[in-house]
Amino acid sequence: MKLGRLNHVGVATPSIEKSLETYRTMFGVEPRGAPFDLPAQGVRVCFVDAPNSQIELIEPLGEASPIVKFLEKNPLGGQHHVCFEVPDIHAAKADFEAKGARVLGEPRIGAHGTLVFFVHPKDMGGVLTEIMETPGEAH
Ligand code: CO
């Protein structure tokens, strides 16, 4: 498996609007587009661009959202996951599994429109890790 660029850092928040206000006040930056729903992941999403990567703000979409528990433990929100690109999502999944890592579910369409999956933090030094197929390299 080939490790690609750090695509984004996922930040869970109880309110995307409040988080955007923080980025606006602290950095003077505006989001890349309006927030949008990502039902497949159970989150509402909005991106803020940095020159070399992005911050992915994620807010729960419904009570069954996978980030509800995280926000119960971290009411202000906080750093939730990191996302690395790979050239081939299916090869990457097979590679993680061959190494004994717990892949959480099947690859699903992520916020950038390419397939993603998550690797359990217990197999990644405590960091929930999203693996994403590099846009434009779909097989
Ligand atoms: Co993400």
Side-chain angles (χ1 to χ4, degrees), residues 7-11 45 47 56 58 80-83 111-112 116 118 130 132:
N7 182 276
H8 63 264
V9 174
V11 173
V45 183
F47 286 100
E56 178 190 52
I58 49 176
H80 181 261
H81 65 272
V82 296
C83 177
H112 289 82
V116 305
F118 286 86
E130 180 179 6
M132 164 187 164

Short mmCIF file of all heavy atoms in Angstrom, two decimals, residues 7-11 45 47 56 58 80-83 111-112 116 118 130 132, ligand 1:
data_model
loop_
_atom_site.label_atom_id
_atom_site.label_comp_id
_atom_site.label_asym_id
_atom_site.label_seq_id
_atom_site.Cartn_x
_atom_site.Cartn_y
_atom_site.Cartn_z
N ASN A 7 -5.25 14.09 3.41
CA ASN A 7 -6.34 14.81 2.75
C ASN A 7 -7.01 15.80 3.68
O ASN A 7 -7.25 16.94 3.32
CB ASN A 7 -7.36 13.83 2.17
CG ASN A 7 -8.47 14.54 1.43
OD1 ASN A 7 -9.44 15.00 2.04
ND2 ASN A 7 -8.31 14.69 0.12
N HIS A 8 -7.35 15.33 4.91
CA HIS A 8 -7.97 16.24 5.86
C HIS A 8 -7.85 15.72 7.29
O HIS A 8 -7.53 14.57 7.51
CB HIS A 8 -9.46 16.49 5.52
CG HIS A 8 -10.34 15.27 5.58
ND1 HIS A 8 -10.66 14.52 4.46
CD2 HIS A 8 -10.97 14.66 6.61
CE1 HIS A 8 -11.45 13.52 4.81
NE2 HIS A 8 -11.65 13.58 6.12
N VAL A 9 -8.12 16.62 8.21
CA VAL A 9 -8.28 16.27 9.62
C VAL A 9 -9.76 16.46 9.94
O VAL A 9 -10.32 17.53 9.67
CB VAL A 9 -7.41 17.17 10.53
CG1 VAL A 9 -7.69 16.89 12.00
CG2 VAL A 9 -5.93 16.97 10.21
N GLY A 10 -10.38 15.43 10.46
CA GLY A 10 -11.79 15.50 10.80
C GLY A 10 -11.97 16.07 12.20
O GLY A 10 -11.33 15.61 13.16
N VAL A 11 -12.83 17.08 12.32
CA VAL A 11 -13.09 17.72 13.60
C VAL A 11 -14.60 17.64 13.87
O VAL A 11 -15.40 18.17 13.08
CB VAL A 11 -12.63 19.20 13.59
CG1 VAL A 11 -13.07 19.92 14.85
CG2 VAL A 11 -11.12 19.29 13.42
N VAL A 45 -21.49 17.91 6.88
CA VAL A 45 -20.07 18.17 6.64
C VAL A 45 -19.85 19.57 6.07
O VAL A 45 -20.68 20.07 5.31
CB VAL A 45 -19.50 17.14 5.60
CG1 VAL A 45 -18.02 17.35 5.38
CG2 VAL A 45 -19.79 15.72 6.03
N PHE A 47 -16.15 21.92 4.75
CA PHE A 47 -14.69 21.96 4.68
C PHE A 47 -14.15 23.37 4.80
O PHE A 47 -14.73 24.33 4.27
CB PHE A 47 -14.19 21.36 3.36
CG PHE A 47 -14.31 19.86 3.31
CD1 PHE A 47 -15.37 19.26 2.65
CD2 PHE A 47 -13.37 19.06 3.94
CE1 PHE A 47 -15.49 17.88 2.61
CE2 PHE A 47 -13.48 17.68 3.91
CZ PHE A 47 -14.54 17.09 3.24
N GLU A 56 -12.12 19.06 8.06
CA GLU A 56 -13.46 18.57 7.77
C GLU A 56 -14.29 18.70 9.04
O GLU A 56 -14.08 17.94 9.99
CB GLU A 56 -13.41 17.11 7.32
CG GLU A 56 -14.78 16.52 7.04
CD GLU A 56 -14.73 15.00 6.82
OE1 GLU A 56 -14.16 14.28 7.67
OE2 GLU A 56 -15.24 14.54 5.80
N ILE A 58 -17.47 18.06 11.09
CA ILE A 58 -18.57 17.09 11.03
C ILE A 58 -19.49 17.28 12.23
O ILE A 58 -19.04 17.39 13.37
CB ILE A 58 -18.07 15.63 10.93
CG1 ILE A 58 -17.01 15.32 11.98
CG2 ILE A 58 -17.55 15.35 9.53
CD1 ILE A 58 -16.55 13.86 11.97
N HIS A 80 -11.22 14.41 15.62
CA HIS A 80 -11.93 13.13 15.56
C HIS A 80 -11.20 12.08 14.74
O HIS A 80 -11.12 10.93 15.12
CB HIS A 80 -13.33 13.39 14.97
CG HIS A 80 -14.19 12.18 14.86
ND1 HIS A 80 -14.35 11.48 13.69
CD2 HIS A 80 -14.93 11.53 15.80
CE1 HIS A 80 -15.16 10.46 13.90
NE2 HIS A 80 -15.53 10.46 15.16
N HIS A 81 -10.67 12.44 13.58
CA HIS A 81 -9.94 11.47 12.74
C HIS A 81 -8.99 12.19 11.80
O HIS A 81 -9.07 13.41 11.64
CB HIS A 81 -10.90 10.58 11.94
CG HIS A 81 -11.72 11.30 10.91
ND1 HIS A 81 -12.94 11.89 11.19
CD2 HIS A 81 -11.51 11.53 9.59
CE1 HIS A 81 -13.44 12.44 10.09
NE2 HIS A 81 -12.58 12.24 9.10
N VAL A 82 -8.07 11.42 11.23
CA VAL A 82 -7.23 11.94 10.14
C VAL A 82 -7.54 11.11 8.91
O VAL A 82 -7.96 9.95 9.01
CB VAL A 82 -5.72 11.87 10.47
CG1 VAL A 82 -5.39 12.77 11.66
CG2 VAL A 82 -5.26 10.45 10.73
N CYS A 83 -7.36 11.70 7.75
CA CYS A 83 -7.68 11.01 6.49
C CYS A 83 -6.51 11.07 5.53
O CYS A 83 -6.06 12.16 5.15
CB CYS A 83 -8.91 11.64 5.84
SG CYS A 83 -9.31 10.90 4.24
N ALA A 111 -17.02 12.19 1.71
CA ALA A 111 -17.37 13.58 1.49
C ALA A 111 -16.77 14.16 0.20
O ALA A 111 -17.22 15.20 -0.27
CB ALA A 111 -16.93 14.43 2.69
N HIS A 112 -15.76 13.50 -0.36
CA HIS A 112 -15.17 14.00 -1.60
C HIS A 112 -15.65 13.22 -2.82
O HIS A 112 -15.12 13.35 -3.91
CB HIS A 112 -13.64 13.93 -1.53
CG HIS A 112 -13.05 14.93 -0.58
ND1 HIS A 112 -12.97 14.71 0.77
CD2 HIS A 112 -12.51 16.16 -0.79
CE1 HIS A 112 -12.41 15.76 1.36
NE2 HIS A 112 -12.12 16.65 0.44
N VAL A 116 -14.30 5.56 0.74
CA VAL A 116 -13.51 5.69 1.96
C VAL A 116 -13.83 4.51 2.89
O VAL A 116 -14.88 3.90 2.78
CB VAL A 116 -13.80 7.00 2.73
CG1 VAL A 116 -13.62 8.22 1.84
CG2 VAL A 116 -15.19 7.00 3.34
N PHE A 118 -12.81 3.34 7.30
CA PHE A 118 -12.13 3.74 8.53
C PHE A 118 -11.41 2.54 9.13
O PHE A 118 -11.89 1.41 9.02
CB PHE A 118 -13.13 4.31 9.55
CG PHE A 118 -13.61 5.69 9.20
CD1 PHE A 118 -14.69 5.87 8.34
CD2 PHE A 118 -12.99 6.82 9.71
CE1 PHE A 118 -15.14 7.14 8.00
CE2 PHE A 118 -13.42 8.09 9.39
CZ PHE A 118 -14.50 8.26 8.53
N GLU A 130 -9.11 7.47 8.57
CA GLU A 130 -9.91 7.32 7.37
C GLU A 130 -8.96 7.14 6.19
O GLU A 130 -7.95 7.86 6.09
CB GLU A 130 -10.77 8.58 7.17
CG GLU A 130 -11.67 8.55 5.94
CD GLU A 130 -12.54 9.80 5.80
OE1 GLU A 130 -12.35 10.76 6.60
OE2 GLU A 130 -13.39 9.82 4.90
N MET A 132 -8.91 7.07 2.06
CA MET A 132 -9.76 7.62 0.98
C MET A 132 -9.05 7.43 -0.34
O MET A 132 -7.84 7.69 -0.45
CB MET A 132 -9.94 9.11 1.28
CG MET A 132 -10.45 9.93 0.15
SD MET A 132 -10.39 11.68 0.65
CE MET A 132 -10.55 12.41 -0.96
CO CO B 1 -13.17 12.51 7.05
#
